[in-house]
Amino acid sequence: MEKLVLLIPGIPIAIALLLSFVSHKELIPRVNLILSSMIALLGLYGSYHVISGEKDIIGFDGLLIYNELSAILVPYVAILGLVIRKYATKYMWDEAGYKRFFILLNFIFSAIYLLVMSNNLIVLALAWQLMSIGLYLLVSFNVGSKTAVKNARWTMYIHKSADFVFLLAVILTYQTFGSFDLVVLKDQWLLMSQNPINDPMIFAVGFLYLLAAIMKSAIVPFHIWLPYTSEAPTPVSGLMHAGVVNVGGILLNKMAYLLILSPLVLNIAFVIGLFTAIFASMLMLVISDVKRSLGYSTVGQMGYMIMEVGLGAFSLAIYHLIVHGIFKASLFLESGSIINYARKDPYIPERLSHKIFSKESINYTSSKTFKFIALFTIVPVLAFIGTKILLAPEFFEFNAAIVILAFAWLTGTQLFLSFFKASKLGSFKAILGIVTSFIVVLYTYEFIGLSLEHFLYAHDSLLFYEAATLNVTLLSALAMLSFIMLIGGYFIYKQHFVDLPRGINKPSKSKWTFYKLLVKEGYYFEIFSSSKKGKL
């Protein structure tokens, strides 16, 4: 009975074939939703089978597997697929090519399921290739738009480059380790990790998998395809930001035991992820287009995900991509109504970038400054230290501490300021809300992340943290966090918590130079165009 779960990657293809014979438009969403619900039910059944302690479900001569990673990701993708299909039923109703859209949508979902459940590098490479083709066809769905087709070509260039890198990595993997079977390779890599290894070929293989992952996950400098696909239909944007862009994290989790053997690759992943998270988050603040701004937000979050992998927190990367995927899919599916609402409602808060760069305001002073900064800095740090004292000493002793702290603080602050317009009249409530959100996000991220870690990797997770040699001590983590909160507290004070006028600002040249750099998106296209014309 449980072998039926292995049919999941083929069901969307069957749906696509069946839809091609449906002549009545009204029947298309019914057939699509009913049969897609079967995938969700099968996925949940498979997850119950694995979670209840039964063996992994392996079939098709070992080509497909339903294991712990599949048990988490397949139901997530299936339920997300149902939501996107339901939304697209009405959203795409008046668009030309209604049937074609759902056929292509099922095609790419089939590739995602195949990638998640693959137990063979050849099958994994096939799914990797099919995703590129499906994404190109969906992004260029509006064939009448020149910009949509042009941006789809950009997407195709980067993704096909990632496909080439991935195929090269697969070939080198077979030459080095002699197998395509991921279960066999996992046991071999785990055995090899018991002794120090300094093999350049293993580093090359690991780096190629990392390169393929960061290209498909829109990590800088391969990020540009994601923000500029905003002309794709909104359901496609939701799928890209909640599903397709996460495949880098999924691939690196499948290759986790290989990366134990190449710690330098993990260090490179951390540095690249850190730069991406900072750079994309700054660009997000100044982009005026809502969907493109959300695109840069996703790029920044993918940077966090790669950082977590670089610190050995592979399970946290899975948790991160699921939570971010749900959050970002809902934002994209609501973006149209939000834009319409913002145009009509005069009480929508102004964009943060407008307050920072475009609106020269009056400087103020306040005797409450140091109280606010102290509250911003001390309370979260005390909460962190208190947790460490109350719980087991080893609870927080792993390399991902700085990522968890920074992510929790920045996410909590962003969420609060996104939904509430902070002002000087409610400053204490604003501070209390932000600190509370920090604590909630921190503990949720930590407890669920650890549970996921035990489920996916059990005691092997310690090997990942040991391999990630870029150690971050508690002292340096707290020092960096304190610095971030000092800057953040002072910034929010300057923007909101003001009492007495001090004078009129003069335009700041340095501020506008920095703003121009961000608006031009780091002059990415200018540099590329100059090099293409032979000017560089």
Side-chain angles (χ1 to χ4, degrees):
M1 177 66 179
E2 64 271 7
K3 293 287 185 180
L4 290 175
V5 174
L6 299 175
L7 298 176
I8 287 177
I11 295 177
I13 296 295
I15 297 173
L17 291 174
L18 185 60
L19 289 178
S20 64
F21 294 102
V22 175
S23 56
H24 296 288
K25 189 176 182 180
E26 292 79 6
L27 292 177
I28 293 176
R30 296 179 186 177
V31 172
N32 199 33
L33 290 173
I34 291 173
L35 295 181
S36 298
S37 300
M38 291 176 52
I39 301 176
L41 292 175
L42 276 176
L44 291 172
Y45 171 74
S47 298
Y48 172 77
H49 179 86
V50 173
I51 293 172
S52 61
E54 301 291 337
K55 294 182 179 179
D56 297 340
I57 305 172
I58 304 177
F60 296 104
D61 201 21
L63 296 179
L64 296 181
I65 187 171
Y66 203 94
N67 55 9
E68 289 83 0
L69 187 62
S70 304
I72 294 170
L73 291 176
V74 169
Y76 161 70
V77 175
I79 295 172
L80 177 69
L82 278 175
V83 173
I84 290 176
R85 288 181 175 94
K86 179 64 177 176
Y87 179 86
T89 297
K90 293 183 178 180
Y91 184 89
M92 301 296 295
W93 184 260
D94 295 325
E95 297 286 336
Y98 188 74
K99 181 192 293 188
R100 175 168 61 92
F101 174 81
F102 283 102
I103 290 175
L104 293 176
L105 194 64
N106 280 286
F107 178 80
I108 198 168
F109 269 107
S110 177
I112 295 173
Y113 291 128
L114 192 63
L115 184 141
V116 171
M117 295 175 58
S118 60
N119 187 46
N120 185 284
L121 288 177
I122 300 297
V123 177
L124 188 59
L126 176 63
W128 197 259
Q129 298 275 342
L130 292 176
M131 283 190 62
S132 300
I133 299 171
L135 184 61
Y136 171 77
L137 295 174
L138 282 172
V139 171
S140 61
F141 182 80
N142 183 14
V143 294
S145 170
K146 292 183 179 180
T147 55
V149 175
K150 178 183 177 182
N151 292 331
R153 280 202 304 268
W154 269 98
T155 302
M156 192 65 166
Y157 292 152
I158 295 176
H159 278 250
K160 295 312 292 183
S161 299
D163 295 343
F164 173 76
V165 171
F166 185 80
L167 285 174
L168 183 59
V170 170
I171 293 171
L172 292 179
T173 300
Y174 183 76
Q175 289 182 345
T176 306
F177 303 104
S179 177
F180 290 117
D181 192 293
L182 286 174
V183 170
V184 173
L185 288 171
K186 171 192 168 183
D187 294 337
Q188 186 175 348
W189 293 333
L190 192 58
L191 183 63
M192 293 174 66
S193 67
Q194 296 177 5
N195 299 306
I197 296 175
N198 188 17
D199 188 346
M201 183 56 70
I202 294 178
F203 167 78
V205 173
F207 180 76
L208 287 173
Y209 281 122
L210 173 64
L211 182 59
I214 65 177
M215 292 173 83
K216 286 221 175 185
S217 287
I219 302 298
V220 176
F222 308 104
H223 65 288
I224 207 66
W225 68 267
L226 186 62
Y228 281 87
T229 54
S230 58
E231 198 168 333
T234 297
V236 176
S237 296
L239 172 62
M240 283 193 299
H241 290 257
V244 174
V245 78
N246 293 319
V247 296
I250 298 172
L251 171 64
L252 293 177
N253 267 270
K254 282 181 170 288
M255 300 297 161
Y257 289 90
L258 170 64
L259 299 180
I260 295 177
L261 307 178
S262 49
L264 182 57
V265 175
L266 294 176
N267 297 164
I268 294 172
F270 173 77
V271 174
I272 293 175
L274 175 64
F275 178 78
T276 299
I278 296 172
F279 180 68
S281 297
M282 290 191 298
L283 291 181
M284 177 190 68
L285 296 176
V286 300
I287 299 300
S288 57
D289 182 272
V290 172
K291 290 178 74 174
R292 196 144 60 93
S293 178
L294 288 174
Y296 277 110
S297 171
T298 297
V299 173
Q301 292 297 319
M302 291 302 101
Y304 275 117
M305 182 184 71
I306 297 299
M307 283 173 64
E308 290 161 343
V309 169
L311 290 173
F314 287 89
S315 56
L316 289 181
I318 293 296
Y319 173 61
H320 190 154
L321 70 85
I322 291 175
V323 174
H324 169 260
I326 295 171
F327 176 66
K328 196 54 65 68
S330 64
L331 285 181
F332 267 98
L333 299 184
E334 295 174 2
S335 60
S337 59
I338 290 174
I339 293 171
N340 184 57
Y341 179 59
R343 287 171 177 167
K344 295 179 180 179
D345 193 336
Y347 299 105
I348 294 293
E350 298 176 15
R351 287 183 57 81
L352 185 59
S353 59
H354 174 73
K355 286 181 174 292
I356 298 172
F357 296 108
S358 302
K359 190 175 180 181
E360 296 289 349
S361 59
I362 297 176
N363 281 333
Y364 294 86
T365 60
S366 172
S367 59
K368 299 179 181 179
T369 304
F370 294 105
K371 296 179 182 178
F372 289 133
I373 292 178
L375 192 59
F376 251 64
T377 306
I378 295 173
V379 173
V381 173
L382 289 178
F384 178 74
I385 295 175
T387 303
K388 182 173 175 59
I389 294 173
L390 292 174
L391 299 176
E394 65 273 8
F395 188 76
F396 277 100
E397 288 181 358
F398 60 90
N399 292 344
I402 186 63
V403 176
I404 293 174
L405 285 168
F407 174 78
W409 174 256
L410 295 174
T411 302
T413 304
Q414 184 182 17
L415 283 175
F416 185 81
L417 293 179
S418 297
F419 291 102
F420 301 97
K421 186 176 182 181
S423 68
K424 63 180 181 180
L425 297 178
S427 58
F428 180 78
K429 293 180 180 179
I431 293 288
L432 182 61
I434 293 172
V435 171
T436 302
S437 65
F438 164 79
I439 296 173
V440 169
V441 172
L442 170 64
Y443 290 162
T444 303
Y445 201 62
E446 178 60 26
F447 281 107
I448 296 180
L450 280 177
S451 300
L452 204 59
E453 182 176 276
H454 291 308
F455 176 66
L456 287 175
Y457 298 111
H459 298 295
D460 292 342
S461 58
L462 297 176
L463 297 174
F464 303 145
Y465 296 128
E466 292 174 1
T469 54
L470 193 65
N471 292 304
V472 179
T473 65
L474 177 64
L475 182 61
S476 61
L478 292 178
M480 187 175 294
L481 179 65
S482 299
F483 177 75
I484 291 172
M485 288 188 292
L486 279 171
I487 299 299
Y490 181 70
F491 167 76
I492 293 178
Y493 155 74
K494 292 284 288 185
Q495 294 299 317
H496 300 288
F497 311 126
V498 293
D499 292 326
L500 304 173
R502 191 178 64 189
I504 300 176
N505 281 338
K506 294 181 180 180
S508 172
K509 291 183 179 180
S510 59
K511 182 174 72 172
W512 284 106
T513 301
F514 182 62
Y515 177 70
K516 184 178 179 181
L517 175 67
L518 295 180
V519 168
K520 290 287 186 178
E521 300 174 49
Y523 295 98
Y524 188 92
F525 281 114
E526 284 79 356
I527 295 173
F528 178 80
S529 299
S530 298
S531 61
K532 191 175 181 181
K533 294 176 182 178
K535 294 181 180 180
L536 291 180

